[in-house]
Structure formats: structure tokens, C-alpha cells
Amino acid sequence: MKLASQEDIEGHAAASRRGAIEGTVVSGIAALGGSYYAHRRFPGYRALPLSLKLLGVVIIVAPCLSIQAERRGLEYDKSKWEGEGVRFLHNRRTTEDSRWEELSTRDKLADWADRHQYSLILGGWASSLAFAGAVISRDKVQTTAQKVVQARMWAQGLTIGLLIVAGALTQTKRAAAAKHLEAQEQEARERAALKEQVTPPSRRVPAAAA
């Protein structure tokens, strides 16, 4: 196993910093642009205090910063792989592509949702918060503070629902994996029993000797 040199460590850190800058700039432009549009378009958003508006920007920028930094770091690591590591990646990608092609449309959707469940949960929370805020902002009776509380409650309710769905998908995947493992163990026992029947008694290895 090849140990990382100081050059590799510095290269990985530089790649991660570049990803963090990319994530900050792109998400910052999107968040500030969306905030500016909402400020011009929706009176309810315009009435929100500056701290809440900044919180919305941070909620968008912080995950994008971390995700892009990690992506660039992983890309740098993969670019330094050679020999057995490259073959391992190629074989793994080929196996995953073959497995994906054999799945039905329903299984593909379930597999995709399982691999992106945290992104779906975060996106669902942000989307529900924006949708609820847009709907509740039309209410002329409630105050701004009441509207914020209502929008947050709607977003939390949908997030809990998404968490329940994600838990169900995870449990289904674990049950399928356990069933597959049990089938493999059963097949191994059947092979051992068949081999025991076929092998002549004179050539069988005693259990104590094994």
C-alpha cells in the first residue's frame, strides 16, 4: 500500500479548497439572486428580518460548499490511483453498470432514491419551506412572525415524512441484503452436503483433523 506523500496531501488540500471556492461562489450567486428576486417579488419575504434572510443564504451555501469540496478532493484522489487501484475502479464500475441495466424501472428509482436520500431530504425541506412560505405569505391576517412559524411547521412535517420514507427504503434494502446473504449461505450448505455425498468415505477428512 502506497503512503501519501507531502505533495499528495498538499494537492488534495488544494483541490478541496478549489472545490470549496467553487461551491461558495456558485451557490452564493444562486442564493443571493434568489433572495433579491424574492425581495422584489414577495412582500412577505421583504418584511422578514435580515437575520432570517442571511440564514436562508447560509442554509444553501454551506451544504454546497462542503459537497463540492469533497467532490474535488475525491477527484484528485482518483486521479492519483494507478495499477491495481485503476483496475479495481474499472471492475467496480463495470459491475455497477451491469447491475443497473438488469434492474427494472421501479428498482432503478428505488436504487437512485436510496443513494441520494440525504439530498432528497434536504431538497424536499428547502422546497417545502419555499412553497409553504409562498402560500402563507398571501394571508393578510397573520403577522410576519406567524407566517414564518407556519412555513417552518409545514417544512418540518414534510421532512418527517421524507425521513419515514427514507427509513422504509433503508429497511427494505437491509432486508433484501439479509435475504441474499441467507440464500448464499443456504447454497453453500447445499454444496457442502452434496460434496459430502459424492466424496467416497475413504477420502473424507475427519472433522477433528479439519
Side-chain angles (χ1 to χ4, degrees):
M1 180 178 179
K2 181 181 177 181
L3 297 178
S5 62
Q6 185 63 30
E7 181 181 358
D8 293 336
I9 296 175
E10 293 175 356
H12 182 275
S16 299
R17 285 194 299 269
R18 183 172 66 253
I21 293 173
E22 293 173 354
T24 302
V25 172
V26 175
S27 62
I29 292 175
L32 292 176
S35 179
Y36 178 76
Y37 174 79
H39 182 81
R40 295 287 301 274
R41 180 69 175 80
F42 304 108
Y45 183 85
R46 193 182 306 125
L48 292 176
L50 180 61
S51 59
L52 284 179
K53 296 178 182 179
L54 290 177
L55 177 62
V57 173
V58 171
I59 289 175
I60 295 175
V61 173
C64 295
L65 182 157
S66 303
I67 292 172
Q68 186 63 13
E70 184 177 2
R71 286 184 59 189
R72 290 303 184 189
L74 291 174
E75 288 177 359
Y76 178 82
D77 290 340
K78 290 180 180 179
S79 68
K80 304 297 290 185
W81 285 16
E82 56 186 12
E84 191 64 29
V86 175
R87 287 193 293 271
F88 172 78
L89 279 180
H90 176 73
N91 294 335
R92 182 177 180 180
R93 187 177 299 111
T94 302
T95 302
E96 290 179 352
D97 291 341
S98 300
R99 185 185 66 86
W100 177 261
E101 293 298 330
E102 294 175 355
L103 295 176
S104 62
T105 303
R106 179 181 178 182
D107 292 336
K108 286 181 180 180
L109 289 175
D111 182 76
W112 183 87
D114 179 70
R115 288 184 288 107
H116 299 86
Q117 56 179 309
Y118 296 110
S119 300
L120 291 174
I121 292 172
L122 179 61
W125 176 82
S127 301
S128 62
L129 183 61
F131 177 76
V135 173
I136 297 173
S137 64
R138 300 178 181 179
D139 192 340
K140 305 300 182 181
V141 178
Q142 293 184 351
T143 63
T144 301
Q146 291 175 331
K147 293 177 182 179
V148 171
V149 173
Q150 288 290 329
R152 188 180 62 184
M153 290 178 62
W154 277 97
Q156 289 175 345
L158 181 57
T159 304
I160 292 174
L162 290 174
L163 288 172
I164 293 174
V165 173
L169 289 174
T170 302
Q171 182 62 29
T172 302
K173 185 177 180 180
R174 289 179 178 176
K179 185 177 180 180
H180 180 68
L181 180 60
E182 183 179 355
Q184 287 183 333
E185 293 177 350
Q186 179 65 24
E187 183 179 358
R189 288 193 295 267
E190 291 177 355
R191 288 182 179 179
L194 181 60
K195 183 178 180 181
E196 184 72 15
Q197 294 175 2
V198 174
T199 304
S202 59
R203 299 184 60 183
R204 294 178 184 173
V205 180

